[in-house]
Amino acid sequence: MLPNPFLNDLHQAIGPAQVWTEPAVCLVYERDANFLATSTPSVIVSPQTVSQLQAVVQACHQHAMAYTVRGAGTGQSGGAVPTNGGVVISLAQWRTMDLARLAQRTVFAQPGVANGDLKQALAPRGALFAPDPSSQTVCTLGGNWAENAGGIHCIKDGVTADHTLALQLVLPSGQVTTTGTPTVVHPEGTGLALLSLMVGSEGTLGILTGGWVRTIPKPTHTAVTLTAFSTLKQAAAAVAQVLASGITVSALELIDQLTVQCVNRAFGVGFPDQCAAVLLCELVAFSPAELAVQTQVITAVLQAQQPLEHRATDQPQQVEAFWQARRGAAASYGLLTPAFYVLDCVIPPSQLAPALARIAEIAAGHDLVVGNVFHAGDGNLHPHLFFDPHDLPQTERVKQAAKAITALCVSLGGTLSGEHGIGLEKRDSMGLQFTPADLHWMYEVKAIFDPEGLCNPGKILPAKGFCGEANCSHGDSALLPATRPAALSAAGLWI
Amino acid sequence: MLPNPFLNDLHQAIGPAQVWTEPAVCLVYERDANFLATSTPSVIVSPQTVSQLQAVVQACHQHAMAYTVRGAGTGQSGGAVPTNGGVVISLAQWRTMDLARLAQRTVFAQPGVANGDLKQALAPRGALFAPDPSSQTVCTLGGNWAENAGGIHCIKDGVTADHTLALQLVLPSGQVTTTGTPTVVHPEGTGLALLSLMVGSEGTLGILTGGWVRTIPKPTHTAVTLTAFSTLKQAAAAVAQVLASGITVSALELIDQLTVQCVNRAFGVGFPDQCAAVLLCELVAFSPAELAVQTQVITAVLQAQQPLEHRATDQPQQVEAFWQARRGAAASYGLLTPAFYVLDCVIPPSQLAPALARIAEIAAGHDLVVGNVFHAGDGNLHPHLFFDPHDLPQTERVKQAAKAITALCVSLGGTLSGEHGIGLEKRDSMGLQFTPADLHWMYEVKAIFDPEGLCNPGKILPAKGFCGEANCSHGDSALLPATRPAALSAAGLWI
């Protein structure tokens, strides 16, 4: 139960109409798009202005209540799920865009603006905000910043951090600040890189209230090649050859056989379904001649891999149909399974073939079906493990297989996450990728911005055993993670 | 004078042959390539291994001696200049490269490897390390990482941070750590961005002992267009049109009339010398056809600006001659002046014409001659102020004009530095770009890695008045900058 004085302060801060404690409302906010992470908040607030938001943060501070910011709730790692009955601050209605500086290739957006809405506003003006998660029609910029979101085009254009020029924040202290410079090309040329620190910090260092993002000229001409291979090994070799060719491809996506069969049934795109994998490769240009030359070169590279089939199209409708099928691939799994668990982990692109082989073995070993559709050029894998949430033993096997696949990727020289973040999902796996030293510095950085540990606690940083020692228990509380592990100094790890 | 026990400990740590206290040796290390920042160290050490380096850091720690790491000493902002008689740690001999993972597009290099030596080792293998400061034949990777170096190609390829996948460090605690992941495409997808924090931190957070950098396929075909304009305004408009065209140019450099005349005399390249400015635009490709198409498009864009003259060449010798002249432009000023002071500041590219007009006025107002040759596409200006170091009043006017130009750039929406860093040179100007809040967090970050303020003190962070208030004097000591400005809390700036 919420302490009454806290509720009174919230009412005082933003008015009772923007505060909800009804269980039915709170239940709506108990999860994001990660099906395993669930925790019911005790109150939902919807501040309308920066000063209302400051007042909410101040009230949380005074009553030592943890808070978590939420936009569209499409995150896959539980980053928007409150811990231990905390407060959810919804910024979903913060949807203002300001395109006044578009001639200088920068626009301002509030965190509740949907990625796709910004894209739509820019398209008629020939401009593009490049990051494009598959959930782009609904996911919001706040989440894109928090998770450093990627998408199919980040092989060419980079991730959200590469397109963020400045951010406005309300810090856990309640203070309003701005970091970065909206109108310069490389905003991190001066001073310590606070902007880079904020992007991808999953809402743990402060609350983003707006930001300036880079726009790039929107390509006027697009072609997609579709190449079908009889083995995954061949498809992986083709990926390596494309990367080595020097040609700047704007997408390089691998779709395995099971997924091809699903998208064919769902979208009728007619991908070759007797192959082990289809590789979609996109090229963009600003003239038909430039596009034609690139298509010719990439076709030669792909044909040299002796595919079963190779086609290329620059017909806009056909191109859009291909990408609609790609973006809808996960949804098409609904033809075969009541639910799936999507993983997000990264390998060196050179490890594609062995990684896919091992993932198939791990899935089989856990008696699970896996579908793969992912950003092959970035080595950013998305194995989808099929399961029925009502089958509890199967659900348990999904969790185990997910952990095994994540550990596999790190052991191959990869990382825990490419674009979905760590959130609640992978915090206990952080020790696989990071040394105790790395984690120590992350705790220290967290502590300078959020010394009381109220700002989206329990995310990213592991609660237990993060120093990798058997008896280690630094940061034991999920609500208030330990911030300065003095025990490490005592243990002689720091001189 | 150095305390004897400290010297004894250094001898103990790395042997007397690697320790120099002779005044003649120390004098060599009193400055880097910034002519205004000078401070003689009291001892030079040259550790040969990581454990020797750890022992040096430990000795400095025990005796509260400040230390500054140095590579080739080509930095332009005084970053490698020790403060208050500190220790210079030379890593110039740490020159090992490891190309074993080149097939995975990553190579390892120690901090003493020259940027150009790495480029040369990679070229026969068709690979490229993209960052290319004009000092590339001598400047070292350690400095490239410390200053987040750029160069003429960063309009296409980005700055050093975009090409750094992992770094090894000896921290001020003496601890050895590694941050980042060598073999993945986007190494900052997981956890807080410690790698981004380290790149560009100018040696203030720890000592880099090696790193893995990204390599990209080296373009096989290159063309350069040379376009001469009768006014700087026209040249600036051409820059804007090239940026808006969507064509990925790999360099977009502006050379003003004075500089054209110097490079013509020095290198005999025959640039049109009756124009206000020459714009050099480079295009790269992996096939002749791709190059031809791009050249055609960019030529149309540039011709539309009604230049005095436009040429294009894809002859390798001619291309190399153009870039040799560009890289040697500053040296060619030697024909006209005994010395020059090079500035490094950034404006929004849209402000190019007004910025150049105001810079000319500022130079004239200080009775100085200015030559401009810079990265126009990035808005990264490099005004060169001519002067005679023996003329002390003129030297004083150079300092004043430099400050005025830097302030102008920030007031136009730009930043203090593009690629040379803050160092000693601009630390007192940090308040122009950053709010007290930004600076506060930078001090906090500095403090968690270097609580005693011994690691390259006096760089980046201002010593005085950084909070912008008349009576503020946080961080007053250059040797030991204040780390936690508690007075700010008392002043009510932080709730």
Side-chain angles (χ1 to χ4, degrees):
Chain A
M1 279 297 292
L2 272 189
N4 256 337
F6 176 53
L7 213 51
N8 289 343
D9 281 358
L10 286 179
H11 286 176
Q12 198 76 28
I14 59 173
Q18 308 299 331
V19 179
W20 295 267
T21 54
E22 297 83 343
V25 176
C26 290
L27 261 180
V28 174
Y29 292 86
E30 71 168 10
R31 63 172 71 196
D32 59 14
N34 180 292
F35 87 98
L36 292 176
T38 311
S39 172
T40 313
S42 50
V43 57
I44 317 298
V45 296
S46 172
Q48 302 296 302
T49 63
V50 168
S51 51
Q52 284 192 355
L53 178 58
Q54 283 180 292
V56 168
V57 169
Q58 197 153 12
C60 290
H61 174 84
Q62 275 161 7
H63 295 271
M65 293 293 298
Y67 50 91
T68 295
V69 173
R70 184 184 174 103
T74 56
Q76 305 264 11
S77 58
V81 175
T83 47
N84 293 15
V87 179
V88 166
I89 302 174
S90 171
L91 298 186
Q93 293 178 38
W94 291 42
R95 288 188 200 146
T96 299
M97 293 180 237
D98 180 355
L99 308 190
R101 289 187 179 178
L102 185 53
Q104 294 177 60
R105 282 172 299 283
T106 181
V107 296
F108 174 83
Q110 285 188 320
V113 170
N115 176 300
D117 287 349
L118 179 57
K119 280 194 169 58
Q120 262 193 323
L122 293 172
R125 297 149 183 258
L128 175 68
F129 172 61
D132 63 340
S134 290
S135 57
Q136 61 193 256
T137 52
V138 278
C139 72
T140 60
L141 286 193
N144 294 176
W145 285 315
E147 307 299 330
N148 196 7
I152 65 169
H153 288 113
C154 69
I155 185 173
K156 168 174 173 284
D157 295 319
V159 290
T160 301
D162 300 311
H163 297 268
T164 303
L165 298 169
L167 289 173
Q168 288 178 338
L169 300 110
V170 171
L171 296 169
S173 65
Q175 199 195 19
V176 173
T177 190
T178 299
T179 185
T181 308
T183 47
V184 301
V185 179
H186 308 292
E188 291 286 43
T190 309
L192 300 180
L194 297 184
L195 181 62
S196 298
L197 201 56
M198 288 299 162
V199 179
S201 60
E202 307 193 16
T204 63
L205 302 182
I207 300 174
L208 301 175
T209 57
W212 285 267
V213 295
R214 189 195 302 282
T215 68
I216 59 176
K218 185 175 160 64
T220 50
H221 296 76
T222 306
V224 175
T225 64
L226 180 157
T227 318
F229 295 95
S230 55
T231 67
L232 284 169
K233 215 168 172 177
Q234 268 184 305
V239 169
Q241 289 306 310
V242 170
L243 294 177
S245 75
I247 295 286
T248 303
V249 301
S250 56
L252 189 56
E253 300 281 308
L254 194 147
I255 309 178
D256 74 2
Q257 187 177 35
L258 180 69
T259 311
V260 164
Q261 291 169 349
C262 287
V263 297
N264 277 346
R265 278 178 61 192
F267 302 102
V269 279
F271 290 171
D273 63 1
Q274 292 311 307
C275 60
V278 159
L279 200 61
L280 291 182
C281 179
E282 190 190 71
L283 301 158
V284 292
F286 291 85
S287 70
E290 199 193 344
L291 189 69
V293 167
Q294 288 186 39
T295 309
Q296 207 177 350
V297 176
I298 214 75
T299 291
V301 170
L302 289 164
Q303 290 280 24
Q305 300 305 310
Q306 303 180 299
L308 290 175
E309 188 177 335
H310 177 83
R311 318 176 205 159
T313 178
D314 60 1
Q315 298 304 307
Q317 280 186 334
Q318 183 82 58
V319 166
E320 181 48 32
F322 279 11
W323 289 127
Q324 206 179 2
R326 162 61 188 93
R327 285 196 299 269
S332 77
Y333 291 141
L335 293 164
L336 296 185
T337 176
F340 58 80
Y341 190 67
V342 56
L343 303 186
D344 165 57
C345 39
V346 176
I347 54 162
S350 61
Q351 299 297 314
L352 214 47
L356 290 173
R358 278 291 296 136
I359 288 169
E361 285 169 18
I362 291 170
H366 289 80
D367 195 18
L368 296 169
V369 174
V370 61
N372 289 289
V373 50
F374 62 93
H375 315 311
D378 296 304
N380 189 180
L381 306 181
H382 289 316
H384 293 70
L385 298 170
F386 294 3
F387 75 111
D388 179 348
H390 298 107
D391 181 341
L392 296 184
Q394 193 187 38
T395 305
E396 200 46 50
R397 294 202 306 277
V398 165
K399 292 182 191 175
Q400 287 165 7
K403 279 194 178 158
I405 291 170
T406 302
L408 164 74
C409 291
V410 175
S411 75
L412 290 171
T415 59
L416 292 172
S417 165
E419 54 189 7
H420 294 179
I422 298 300
L424 284 170
E425 183 192 25
K426 289 178 183 163
R427 57 194 292 246
D428 292 332
S429 301
M430 285 284 278
L432 292 178
Q433 181 180 339
F434 294 103
T435 63
D438 273 334
L439 292 171
H440 170 79
W441 301 118
M442 290 186 198
Y443 270 104
E444 292 276 306
V445 169
K446 164 80 172 165
I448 63 175
F449 288 95
D450 181 30
E452 285 154 324
L454 298 175
C455 185
N456 208 15
K459 311 300 163 64
I460 304 184
L461 295 171
K464 282 188 188 177
F466 76 84
C467 70
E469 294 170 63
N471 297 319
C472 170
S473 61
H474 305 305
D476 216 336
S477 153
L479 187 60
L480 294 171
T483 48
R484 306 205 175 232
L488 281 179
S489 316
L493 269 170
W494 323 94
I495 65 169
Chain B
M1 280 298 293
L2 271 187
N4 255 337
F6 176 52
L7 213 51
N8 289 343
D9 280 359
L10 287 180
H11 286 176
Q12 198 78 29
I14 60 173
Q18 308 298 330
V19 179
W20 295 267
T21 53
E22 297 83 343
V25 176
C26 289
L27 262 180
V28 174
Y29 293 87
E30 70 169 10
R31 63 172 70 195
D32 59 14
N34 181 291
F35 87 99
L36 293 175
T38 310
S39 173
T40 314
S42 50
V43 57
I44 318 298
V45 297
S46 173
Q48 302 296 304
T49 62
V50 169
S51 52
Q52 283 193 354
L53 178 59
Q54 284 179 292
V56 167
V57 169
Q58 197 153 12
C60 290
H61 174 85
Q62 274 162 7
H63 296 271
M65 293 292 298
Y67 51 90
T68 295
V69 173
R70 184 182 173 104
T74 57
Q76 305 264 11
S77 58
V81 175
T83 48
N84 293 15
V87 179
V88 166
I89 302 174
S90 171
L91 298 185
Q93 292 179 39
W94 290 41
R95 289 189 199 142
T96 300
M97 295 179 234
D98 180 354
L99 309 189
R101 288 186 179 177
L102 185 53
Q104 294 177 59
R105 281 172 300 283
T106 181
V107 296
F108 174 83
Q110 284 189 321
V113 170
N115 176 299
D117 287 348
L118 180 57
K119 281 193 169 60
Q120 263 194 324
L122 293 172
R125 297 150 184 259
L128 175 68
F129 172 60
D132 62 342
S134 290
S135 58
Q136 61 192 257
T137 51
V138 278
C139 72
T140 60
L141 287 194
N144 294 176
W145 285 315
E147 307 300 329
N148 196 6
I152 65 169
H153 288 112
C154 70
I155 186 174
K156 169 175 172 283
D157 295 319
V159 288
T160 301
D162 300 310
H163 296 270
T164 303
L165 299 168
L167 289 172
Q168 288 177 339
L169 299 110
V170 171
L171 296 169
S173 65
Q175 199 196 18
V176 174
T177 190
T178 299
T179 184
T181 308
T183 47
V184 301
V185 180
H186 308 291
E188 291 286 44
T190 309
L192 299 180
L194 296 185
L195 182 62
S196 298
L197 201 56
M198 289 298 163
V199 180
S201 61
E202 306 192 16
T204 63
L205 303 182
I207 300 174
L208 301 175
T209 58
W212 285 266
V213 295
R214 188 195 304 281
T215 68
I216 59 176
K218 185 175 162 61
T220 50
H221 295 75
T222 304
V224 175
T225 65
L226 180 157
T227 318
F229 295 95
S230 56
T231 66
L232 284 168
K233 214 167 172 178
Q234 267 184 306
V239 169
Q241 288 307 311
V242 170
L243 294 177
S245 75
I247 294 286
T248 303
V249 302
S250 56
L252 188 57
E253 299 282 306
L254 194 147
I255 309 179
D256 72 4
Q257 187 178 34
L258 181 68
T259 312
V260 163
Q261 292 169 348
C262 288
V263 298
N264 278 346
R265 279 178 60 193
F267 301 101
V269 279
F271 289 171
D273 62 1
Q274 292 310 307
C275 60
V278 159
L279 200 61
L280 292 181
C281 178
E282 189 189 74
L283 300 157
V284 292
F286 291 85
S287 70
E290 199 192 343
L291 189 68
V293 166
Q294 288 186 39
T295 309
Q296 208 177 352
V297 175
I298 215 73
T299 290
V301 169
L302 289 164
Q303 291 280 23
Q305 300 304 310
Q306 303 181 299
L308 290 176
E309 189 179 336
H310 177 84
R311 318 176 207 158
T313 179
D314 60 0
Q315 296 305 307
Q317 280 185 333
Q318 183 83 60
V319 166
E320 181 48 30
F322 280 10
W323 289 127
Q324 206 180 1
R326 162 61 188 93
R327 285 195 300 266
S332 76
Y333 291 141
L335 293 165
L336 297 184
T337 176
F340 57 80
Y341 190 67
V342 56
L343 303 186
D344 166 56
C345 39
V346 177
I347 53 163
S350 62
Q351 299 297 313
L352 214 47
L356 290 174
R358 279 291 297 135
I359 287 169
E361 285 170 18
I362 291 169
H366 289 80
D367 195 19
L368 296 169
V369 173
V370 61
N372 289 288
V373 49
F374 61 94
H375 316 310
D378 296 304
N380 188 179
L381 306 182
H382 290 316
H384 293 69
L385 298 170
F386 293 4
F387 76 111
D388 179 348
H390 298 106
D391 182 341
L392 296 184
Q394 194 189 36
T395 305
E396 200 45 50
R397 295 202 304 279
V398 165
K399 292 183 192 173
Q400 288 164 9
K403 278 193 180 158
I405 290 170
T406 302
L408 164 75
C409 291
V410 175
S411 74
L412 290 172
T415 58
L416 293 172
S417 167
E419 54 188 9
H420 294 178
I422 298 300
L424 285 170
E425 183 192 24
K426 289 179 182 160
R427 55 194 294 244
D428 292 332
S429 302
M430 285 285 279
L432 293 178
Q433 181 180 338
F434 294 103
T435 63
D438 273 333
L439 292 172
H440 169 80
W441 302 118
M442 290 186 199
Y443 270 103
E444 293 276 307
V445 169
K446 165 79 173 164
I448 61 175
F449 288 94
D450 181 28
E452 286 154 325
L454 297 175
C455 185
N456 207 14
K459 311 300 163 63
I460 304 184
L461 295 172
K464 282 188 188 176
F466 76 84
C467 69
E469 293 170 64
N471 297 319
C472 171
S473 61
H474 306 306
D476 215 336
S477 154
L479 187 61
L480 295 171
T483 48
R484 306 210 175 229
L488 282 179
S489 316
L493 269 169
W494 322 95
I495 63 170

